């Protein structure tokens, strides 16, 4: 294979697919996605799927707000099946996180998010059976929801292909050709693709792609596990029951499927050595048991639920748990878009558009300079208000 492309996107997860979609929507047809396995075979196909706008910085709040609005019309605008369900979100915190909750809700309201503080009684009314013992403050985000990472990725990619993009699966990037510090092409097992623009959207493999261009990119991996609990009849758990972030029990959970299933995630992540090419894709028995106990405390009515396993995926992050987006320093023609720390699914409809704008317009409609690679050297890191749970951002 010997071909040319206007843009080569390395990574067939939701970021890569969203970037390709927005580029082709803008008329850039000669776009190639390189995916070393299959679309959404990495983090994007193993996301918990919660879609919220509760964040600690105005930049991420705005990205999430616009992303949520995109999901609400995804199936009509893009096509396919994003799995979008609007159910709302209830948050409950202990005293140490009250200030963070209040700050993020105020920030959300400033950006037009329908969110507010609520009392304990309303929290229990919105999530029947919720145990609020130990919580001192509560919040509600009216239009939050959840979706399907795999279906969303496929929807973006399918539409991009229909608009002219080429998607090469089982085709890893093996080297990046440079000419006097500028991208000149990408080598694959099938040959070289000549291009002057490469997007590194490789998620857990982004640092490896960076090294191909002589870059040392910060990246850390954690294993994030999801436990699926089946709620036995005659009890039901309606699919529009609000999702819950429970800081008392270190747990988040949401409905799934036909009304008898809850997807739950504990806030304790595996932090040992991980290999992006060989990590567990199923949660451990110990993890499932731990989450089942936490869920039983949070929702006693679910204590008789039967664990059904679940899935596990990598959380690929940066030192401040915020993504790196923008031009790669010292390598003209390389764009970075990775390190979302578990937030990439809900943000992809907008981050994909912003990267497309950067390529086509040389500027973005939202100022993403705080997410630039250079922030680490400058010490200008972004931080979550939830100090004990930085992944909340």
């Amino acid at each position: 294979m010997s071909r040319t492309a206007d843009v080569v996107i390395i990574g067939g997860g939701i970021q890569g697919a969203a970037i390709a979609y927005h580029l082709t929507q803008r008329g850039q047809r000669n776009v190639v996605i390189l995916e070393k396995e299959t679309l959404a075979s990495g983090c994007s196909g193993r996301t918990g799927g919660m879609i919220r706008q509760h964040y600690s910085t105005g930049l991420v709040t705005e990205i999430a707000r616009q992303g949520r609005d995109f999901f609400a019309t995804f199936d009509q605008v893009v096509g396919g099946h994003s799995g979008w369900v609007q159910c709302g979100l209830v948050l409950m915190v202990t005293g140490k996180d009250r200030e963070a909750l209040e700050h993020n809700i105020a920030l959300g309201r400033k950006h037009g998010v329908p969110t507010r503080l609520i009392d304990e009684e309303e929290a229990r009314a919105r999530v029947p059976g919720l145990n609020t013992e130990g919580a001192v403050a509560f919040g509600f985000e009216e239009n939050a929801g959840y979706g399907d990472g795999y279906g969303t990725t496929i929807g973006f990619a399918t539409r991009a292909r229909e608009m002219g993009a080429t998607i090469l699966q089982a085709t890893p990037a093996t080297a990046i050709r440079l000419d006097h510090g500028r991208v000149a092409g990408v080598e694959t097992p099938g040959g070289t693709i000549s291009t002057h623009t490469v997007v590194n959207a490789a998620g857990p493999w982004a640092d490896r792609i960076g090294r191909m261009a002589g870059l040392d990119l910060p990246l850390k991996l954690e294993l994030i596990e999801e436990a699926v609990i089946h709620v036995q009849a005659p009890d039901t758990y309606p699919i529009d029951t609000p999702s819950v972030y429970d800081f008392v029990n270190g747990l988040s959970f949401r409905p799934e499927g036909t009304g008898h299933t809850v997807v739950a995630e504990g806030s304790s992540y595996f932090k040992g050595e991980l290999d992006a090419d060989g990590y567990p894709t199923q949660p451990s028995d110990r993890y499932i048991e731990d989450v089942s106990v936490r869920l039983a405390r949070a929702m006693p009515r679910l204590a008789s639920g039967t664990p059904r396993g679940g899935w596990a995926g990598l959380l690929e992050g940066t030192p401040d748990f915020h993504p790196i987006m923008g031009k790669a320093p010292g390598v003209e023609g390389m764009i970075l878009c990775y390190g979302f720390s578990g937030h990439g699914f809900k943000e992809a409809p907008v981050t994909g558009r912003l990267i497309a704008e950067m390529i086509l317009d040389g500027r973005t409609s939202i100022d993403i300079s705080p997410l630039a690679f250079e922030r680490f050297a400058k010490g200008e890191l972004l931080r979550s208000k939830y100090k004990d749970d930085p992944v909340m951002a």
Side-chain angles (χ1 to χ4, degrees):
M1 175 183 67
S2 179
R3 61 185 304 159
T4 61
D6 293 321
V7 181
V8 173
I9 301 166
I10 301 176
I14 193 167
Q15 295 297 330
I19 294 165
Y21 166 80
H22 284 288
L23 284 170
T24 55
Q25 286 294 105
R26 291 280 306 274
Q28 186 72 276
R29 307 298 190 220
N30 193 10
V31 176
V32 175
I33 294 179
L34 296 180
E35 168 52 49
K36 72 184 191 66
E37 294 183 6
T38 58
L39 293 172
S41 57
C43 306
S44 299
R46 300 188 179 97
T47 175
M50 285 192 180
I51 297 172
R52 60 177 167 90
Q53 303 146 95
H54 186 88
Y55 284 96
S56 299
T57 67
L59 170 57
V60 181
T61 299
E62 182 60 23
I63 289 174
R65 184 194 68 78
Q66 293 186 23
R68 178 266 163 212
D69 290 349
F70 194 102
F71 270 107
T73 60
F74 186 100
D75 293 7
Q76 294 76 39
V77 174
V78 179
H81 179 64
S82 66
W84 164 254
V85 174
Q86 178 173 318
C87 61
L89 169 67
V90 168
L91 302 102
M92 48 189 270
V93 302
T94 62
K96 68 183 178 65
D97 287 317
R98 181 199 291 268
E99 183 179 344
L101 177 75
E102 294 174 346
H103 171 275
N104 286 16
I105 286 177
L107 184 60
R109 293 177 66 85
K110 182 178 179 181
H111 283 263
V113 178
T115 184
R116 57 187 171 85
L117 292 169
I118 61 174
D119 60 22
E120 184 176 6
E121 183 179 0
E122 182 174 349
R124 290 199 303 265
R126 290 192 174 277
V127 185
L130 181 67
N131 177 16
T132 56
E133 183 179 358
V136 302
F138 305 84
F140 180 62
E141 187 175 295
E142 180 180 342
N143 65 347
Y146 59 91
D148 175 9
Y150 179 82
T152 302
T153 303
I154 298 302
F156 272 137
T158 298
R159 186 61 181 146
R161 183 190 287 118
E162 291 171 352
M163 296 291 288
T166 299
I167 300 174
L168 301 177
Q169 300 184 78
T171 307
T174 57
I176 294 176
R177 291 175 51 202
L178 300 177
D179 182 9
H180 296 91
R182 179 179 178 83
V183 169
V186 181
E187 295 181 11
T188 76
T192 300
I193 304 174
S194 297
T195 186
H196 291 302
T197 304
V198 167
V199 180
N200 182 350
W205 299 271
D207 56 343
R208 303 183 192 185
I209 301 302
R211 286 194 290 272
M212 293 179 187
L215 295 172
D216 182 15
L217 300 180
L219 181 71
K220 55 184 177 180
L221 303 180
E222 295 182 7
L223 190 69
I224 184 167
E225 301 172 282
E226 305 284 344
V228 179
I229 310 299
H230 181 72
V231 182
Q232 295 176 325
D235 203 356
T236 60
Y237 203 84
I239 62 172
D240 58 353
T241 302
S243 302
V244 175
Y245 271 90
D246 174 4
F247 285 82
V248 177
N249 296 296
L251 184 75
S252 63
F253 53 95
R254 65 169 179 82
E256 168 89 340
T258 59
H260 290 273
T261 302
V262 175
V263 176
E265 173 193 317
S267 60
S268 57
Y269 306 117
F270 175 83
K271 297 179 173 63
E273 289 296 321
L274 289 169
D275 181 355
D277 290 322
Y279 60 90
T281 57
Q282 297 294 320
S284 65
D285 292 341
R286 180 179 179 181
Y287 179 86
I288 292 174
E289 181 180 0
D290 175 55
V291 171
S292 298
V293 170
R294 297 188 198 199
L295 184 61
R297 286 199 302 262
M299 292 285 290
R301 59 179 278 230
L302 304 182
S304 61
T306 303
R308 287 196 321 180
W311 61 90
L314 288 179
L315 186 153
E316 39 94 16
T318 66
D320 65 359
F321 295 94
H322 285 75
I324 295 175
M325 293 179 62
K327 297 179 180 180
V331 182
E332 189 176 354
M334 175 172 277
I335 307 294
L336 305 176
C337 184
Y338 82 94
F340 285 84
S341 297
H343 306 147
F345 168 62
K346 62 182 71 66
E347 297 175 15
V350 179
T351 54
R353 188 195 78 217
L354 294 171
I355 294 298
E357 291 172 353
M358 178 173 289
I359 293 169
L360 298 177
D361 304 330
R363 54 185 174 79
T364 55
S365 54
I366 299 175
D367 178 13
I368 59 172
S369 59
L371 299 174
F373 174 90
E374 291 82 359
R375 74 180 185 270
F376 300 105
K378 296 177 181 178
E380 298 174 350
L381 278 62
L382 302 176
R383 297 297 189 188
S384 169
K385 292 293 183 180
Y386 292 93
K387 296 180 176 59
D388 291 337
D389 191 357
V391 174
M392 271 294 289

